[in-house]
Amino acid sequence: MSFSDLGLSDELLRAVADAGYDTPTPIQEKAIPVVLMGRDIFGCAQTGTGKTASFTLPMLDILSHGRAKSRMPRSLILEPTRELAAQVADNFETYGKYQRLSKALLIGGESMADQIKAMDNGVDVLIATPGRLLDLFERGRLLLNDVKILVIDEADRMLDMGFIPDVEKIVSLLPKMRNTLMFSATMPKEIRRLSESFLMNPKEISVAAPSSSAATIIQGLITLPRGSAQKEKRATLRDLIRREDAKNGIVFCNRKRDVSIVYRSMERHGFNAGQLHGDMAQPARMETLNRFKAGDIQFLVCSDVAARGLDIPAMSHVFNFDVPTHAEDYVHRIGRTGRAGREGHAYTIALGEDSKYVAAIEKMTGIAIPPVDKNKSEKPAQRDKKPSAAAAEEPAKKPNGRGDSKSKRVAPADACAPADSTDQTAPPAEQISKTQKKKSNRKDREREREREMGFAADDLPSGPVKGLGEHVPSFFMNAFPASKSD
Ligand code: AMP
């Protein structure tokens, strides 16, 4: 199938050809015609499958007729992080180059005044993180009654980050008659439940994680003795990077403060490193990211939140300085390498006490991560075999004494199956809703999130909006009929 079979306009086909794409990816093939028909979509797809174009392309065509009114966006895309929102905005630039649609990005950490100005001018496509969107809404700076298309991207990540109450609030402010597209990399029960309330008779589309990444990522696990010092982990990381002669890579830490420590340590030891975490101002984050993408920075130390969805095609290595405590994060982390058919390498440094997290990862992926001796220089053994059903059912063996130490290729595709069958590591639904109830005060969550993301919300112009602000609804201008007594 080619792009011209999908029903897209000539302008879009030209833009797609300019981007160098020959054939649609599976999610594009499945989703684009359905979105063009105006049907809702519930898509299970990860970053790297081409899912962004699967919704941006048809949206651009649907929106090409009509004009946005001031403060009334015609479509809304919700993203969990600022970087992902910025990436989606770039996609609109690329694919929308022959159309004259306006877009705006509402993300924390950037000037609210500029964002308000963009809203005032009217936008066809609004790309936003939930917190900043609600902030502006509550300040009367935008109206959501004209949104015809809603995209909820990375829904499972929204759930992890505690954004679902915000998303629910936003959805309740939108017109009932709309087209909704919801995407999630995994399908825990909570996401299925939400899809039932957000979507109407959706077409369910599920695509496997890019097979190239599953097939081309070489993994390894170095386990240090229980209680080893952080210093020891940093030395192990340095040895590993040198031994691997890594061209470039991301070093993942579980905690924000460790990002800075590991980054500074790498710099001190002569590595060309950068860091990405929530305490950095947004312009500095974007600059670091761009320098990493351009190859000016060789190693980027970052947290899961900061690195989520980063699309860097030629990354040779991923190093997990810490074992992720959520098994799904492991799949997301290692998916940053081995893209577009290239060979990738993903190494994890564990302490003895991390064995329960390693076991959860192995149980989820159905494959044991091959152990690597930190003092030996040979690469971990490879085996092409897919995980057997038994491997997926049986809890994986512990790092010491594991049975199959050779299997090492992950098949993250099963993340799309319902939570009951595969997502053994996700917290039960009741636990999720309890946790979220605790966070039900939006203002508290907003403050908590801003602390986590490291920005102060307010660079807003002047105080609260009075009445309807500058917006005067047209019916206010209608003349009253004269009464008889006049
Ligand atoms: P995404 O899953 O949306 O993050 O896309 C991952 C990468 O695939 C991006 O760099 C896109 O530019 C690229 N991409 C999207 N669609 C196609 C396509 N049909 N052919 C080749 N590359 C594509």
Side-chain angles (χ1 to χ4, degrees):
M1 184 178 273
S2 78
F3 275 102
S4 54
D5 300 322
L6 298 177
L8 296 167
S9 68
D10 289 345
E11 288 89 350
L12 278 182
L13 293 178
R14 266 165 68 206
V16 164
D18 290 355
Y21 306 163
D22 304 327
T23 37
T25 64
I27 183 118
Q28 291 162 3
E29 210 176 293
K30 290 180 189 169
I32 292 174
V34 179
V35 182
L36 285 174
M37 279 191 294
R39 189 160 166 200
D40 285 3
I41 280 191
F42 186 31
C44 183
Q46 295 190 5
T47 315
T49 53
K51 87 175 144 72
T52 318
S54 79
F55 61 82
T56 47
L57 289 172
M59 278 177 79
L60 281 162
D61 264 352
I62 292 169
L63 296 169
S64 64
H65 308 286
R67 242 184 107 233
K69 300 185 198 83
S70 175
R71 298 186 187 183
M72 297 178 85
R74 296 168 65 212
S75 64
L76 172 64
I77 299 173
L78 294 176
E79 293 289 339
T81 69
R82 293 175 274 177
E83 282 75 13
L84 270 178
Q87 238 166 245
V88 171
D90 287 347
N91 272 255
F92 271 99
E93 287 287 321
T94 308
Y95 309 133
K97 64 197 267 198
Y98 297 116
Q99 280 155 314
R100 289 175 48 193
L101 291 173
S102 55
K103 64 161 177 24
L105 200 53
L106 291 192
I107 52 179
E110 299 223 331
S111 161
M112 214 186 245
D114 289 348
Q115 295 174 356
I116 287 170
K117 209 163 135 208
M119 294 308 309
D120 287 350
N121 291 338
V123 295
D124 295 302
V125 182
L126 180 60
I127 306 154
T129 48
R132 181 57 68 98
L133 180 89
L134 278 178
D135 241 3
L136 253 74
F137 180 85
E138 282 167 7
R139 290 166 200 265
R141 297 291 178 168
L142 82 139
L143 297 162
L144 294 170
N145 346 17
D146 207 25
V147 172
K148 307 278 189 314
I149 308 173
L150 166 70
V151 179
I152 304 169
D153 197 15
E154 304 270 346
D156 53 346
R157 198 59 178 185
M158 301 260 197
L159 180 71
D160 287 351
M161 294 170 80
F163 290 175
I164 293 300
D166 285 358
V167 175
E168 286 180 312
K169 168 99 194 281
I170 292 167
V171 173
S172 75
L173 299 168
L174 300 176
K176 295 265 176 295
M177 288 301 289
R178 57 164 201 269
N179 194 194
T180 306
L181 320 173
M182 184 163 158
F183 294 90
S184 191
T186 55
M187 289 292 166
K189 274 188 195 149
E190 185 74 352
I191 293 298
R192 288 220 157 255
R193 185 190 66 73
L194 287 169
S195 76
E196 281 156 24
S197 67
F198 293 163
L199 305 169
M200 246 204 297
N201 184 27
K203 167 101 178 147
E204 291 201 20
I205 295 176
S206 174
V207 295
S211 56
S212 54
S213 69
T216 58
I217 301 172
I218 294 169
Q219 300 170 71
L221 177 72
I222 294 181
T223 307
L224 303 180
R226 184 173 278 274
S228 297
Q230 291 288 305
K231 209 171 150 197
E232 177 90 8
K233 282 177 86 178
R234 294 196 292 272
T236 304
L237 174 69
R238 291 195 297 275
D239 290 347
L240 189 57
I241 293 177
R242 290 192 188 110
R243 193 167 85 196
E244 281 287 303
D245 197 15
K247 179 175 147 278
N248 60 2
I250 293 189
V251 178
F252 280 99
C253 298
N254 288 0
R255 284 169 300 268
K256 215 164 47 179
R257 68 186 156 85
D258 289 336
V259 170
S260 289
I261 296 170
V262 172
Y263 156 69
R264 285 200 305 271
S265 153
M266 286 182 74
E267 285 247 291
R268 256 199 322 276
H269 285 85
F271 291 96
N272 172 9
Q275 60 172 337
L276 208 61
H277 61 74
D279 283 346
M280 293 162 69
Q282 180 67 4
R285 287 167 63 143
M286 292 313 278
E287 196 204 322
T288 304
L289 195 53
N290 289 337
R291 288 182 59 209
F292 183 59
K293 284 183 175 176
D296 297 342
I297 292 174
Q298 198 180 358
F299 298 103
L300 191 61
V301 188
C302 51
S303 59
D304 290 285
V305 168
R308 171 77 177 190
L310 294 188
D311 178 31
I312 299 154
M315 188 150 61
S316 74
H317 280 73
V318 164
F319 299 100
N320 289 320
F321 181 76
D322 300 301
V323 183
T325 51
H326 291 103
E328 285 168 11
D329 283 339
Y330 179 81
V331 178
H332 288 303
R333 287 181 182 188
I334 71 163
R336 306 297 101 224
T337 182
R339 288 164 92 91
R342 294 180 181 88
E343 186 171 278
H345 303 80
Y347 287 94
T348 301
I349 302 172
L351 299 182
E353 55 267 42
D354 294 326
S355 60
K356 64 176 183 293
Y357 300 125
V358 174
I361 290 166
E362 295 180 330
K363 189 172 175 184
M364 185 185 166
T365 61
I367 290 177
I369 313 171
V372 176
D373 185 337
K374 86 181 185 79
N375 299 313
K376 289 204 184 130
S377 60
E378 89 265 13
K379 298 214 165 202
Q382 299 297 297
R383 204 177 69 171
D384 286 343
K385 221 172 124 190
K386 292 228 158 161
S388 66
E393 271 161 35
E394 281 294 309
K397 303 216 168 58
K398 295 273 165 15
N400 297 328
R402 64 187 63 227
D404 177 4
S405 66
K406 289 185 181 161
S407 314
K408 58 177 353 209
R409 298 186 178 203
V410 162
D414 63 356
C416 282
D420 309 17
S421 58
T422 56
D423 186 14
Q424 316 284 354
T425 55
E430 320 84 83
Q431 195 179 320
I432 292 167
S433 53
K434 265 189 210 154
T435 320
Q436 294 206 335
K437 266 181 209 146
K438 270 193 216 151
K439 292 188 172 182
S440 65
N441 182 321
R442 205 184 72 72
K443 285 287 167 204
D444 286 353
R445 272 201 328 279
E446 189 65 41
R447 275 193 290 277
E448 186 185 307
R449 187 164 55 229
E450 288 182 353
R451 270 199 307 277
E452 158 66 17
M453 304 295 275
F455 60 83
D458 279 18
D459 47 347
L460 241 200
S462 59
V465 177
K466 293 193 181 73
L468 292 160
E470 290 151 32
H471 178 72
V472 181
S474 55
F475 68 84
F476 270 30
M477 310 305 275
N478 292 348
F480 282 101
S483 80
K484 284 194 180 130
S485 56
D486 283 342

